[in-house]
Amino acid sequence: MNNQINTTASKTPWNKGKIVGQKPALKLKELWEIRIRLKMARNIRELALFNMAIDSKLRGCDLVCLKMNDIIHGGKILKRAVIIQKKTKKPVHFEIIEQTRDSLKDLINEYELNYHDFLFKSRLCKSEHLSTRQYALIVKKWVASIGFDPMEYGTHTMRRTKAALIYQKTKNLRVVQLLLGHSKPESTVRYLGVEVDDALEVSEQMDV
């Protein structure tokens, strides 16, 4: 019995040495630093992935499973698209702005993608599309390229970034809720940490 207790007590906690909690969003300047680096490197695949991650605000599991027929109609890339989320089984709408459409065109031409192909194919033979783990590693590489600690950032950084920028500009929680596909505003509040941010903003303006 004692041996069993000692063995259990000696196990290393799963989160030892890891940073847990919400992953921060990128600021506008940081977003552009990464985008420019990808453009300069002529990294067509990752630039399209980065732009789609920012625009779509999708969870990683939905982003990596995007297909050509999700974003194309009548031979043209849509300005607005809708998919069914894997987690909630509910639809979510997202925009595809011009620079993202341009990067997708480059991706489609470079890899000669067909209508039913996955947008972001895996380079591993056993998988048809990029895995969420591969995507997470790519995100960490992006943030490391601008001098940030990759352990502090993750795929939810990408999902949260444009949503956070929209909220900062509009303070319209309902808009952000719809864009993230949340069923309850409370989920959006927790996800963005807006109550904390708003409280700190008020506090910063108080000169005592």
Side-chain angles (χ1 to χ4, degrees):
M1 182 69 176
N2 289 336
N3 289 338
Q4 186 177 359
I5 293 172
N6 291 337
T7 301
T8 303
S10 64
K11 286 184 178 179
T12 303
W14 70 270
N15 59 349
K16 183 178 181 181
K18 296 180 180 179
I19 298 173
V20 296
Q22 286 189 345
K23 301 299 183 183
L26 295 171
K27 294 181 173 60
L28 191 59
K29 178 184 175 184
E30 298 159 357
L31 182 160
W32 273 101
E33 283 181 17
I34 294 173
R35 181 176 281 148
I36 289 170
R37 285 174 182 271
L38 292 173
K39 284 183 177 180
M40 291 178 65
R42 298 187 61 80
N43 193 330
I44 293 172
R45 178 172 177 259
E46 289 191 18
L47 179 60
L49 178 63
F50 180 84
N51 285 338
M52 272 302 291
I54 294 294
D55 268 6
S56 69
K57 302 164 288 291
L58 293 173
R59 295 179 182 88
C61 60
D62 292 319
L63 179 68
V64 298
C65 289
L66 283 175
K67 286 190 169 185
M68 287 277 287
N69 54 22
D70 289 321
I71 64 156
I72 286 183
H73 182 72
K76 292 184 178 181
I77 298 176
L78 299 169
K79 293 182 179 180
R80 295 179 181 178
V82 58
I83 66 161
I84 301 298
Q85 301 172 90
K86 290 184 179 297
K87 182 178 179 180
T88 65
K89 310 302 180 188
K90 294 180 180 179
V92 63
H93 297 255
F94 57 91
E95 75 283 3
I96 307 175
I97 65 173
E98 185 176 1
Q99 69 175 342
T100 302
R101 296 197 301 273
D102 288 343
S103 63
L104 287 170
K105 288 175 188 175
D106 291 339
L107 177 76
I108 292 165
N109 292 333
E110 178 73 14
Y111 292 92
E112 299 179 345
L113 300 179
N114 296 314
Y115 186 67
H116 295 288
D117 285 344
F118 286 102
L119 274 177
F120 306 109
K121 291 186 174 183
S122 174
R123 289 171 178 167
L124 302 176
C125 297
K126 61 182 180 180
S127 178
E128 287 188 280
H129 60 77
L130 193 70
S131 70
T132 51
R133 176 170 173 75
Q134 289 171 315
Y135 172 47
L137 292 174
I138 290 171
V139 171
K140 291 183 182 299
K141 182 179 70 173
W142 289 340
V143 297
S145 73
I146 59 171
F148 289 172
D149 182 353
M151 293 300 294
E152 294 184 5
Y153 295 82
T155 58
H156 277 279
T157 293
M158 307 305 297
R159 173 165 158 78
R160 187 175 283 120
T161 291
K162 194 168 185 177
L165 291 170
I166 291 170
Y167 180 76
Q168 288 169 14
K169 185 174 182 178
T170 67
K171 300 298 182 184
N172 191 326
L173 193 63
R174 175 59 178 164
V175 166
V176 179
Q177 178 192 345
L178 289 171
L179 292 172
L180 289 174
H182 287 161
S183 57
K184 298 178 181 179
E186 293 84 357
S187 300
T188 309
V189 168
R190 288 194 301 270
Y191 192 73
L192 294 182
V194 294
E195 289 182 331
V196 174
D197 287 343
D198 288 349
L200 288 172
E201 186 176 331
V202 171
S203 182
E204 286 168 352
Q205 293 172 2
M206 183 64 67
D207 188 9
V208 295

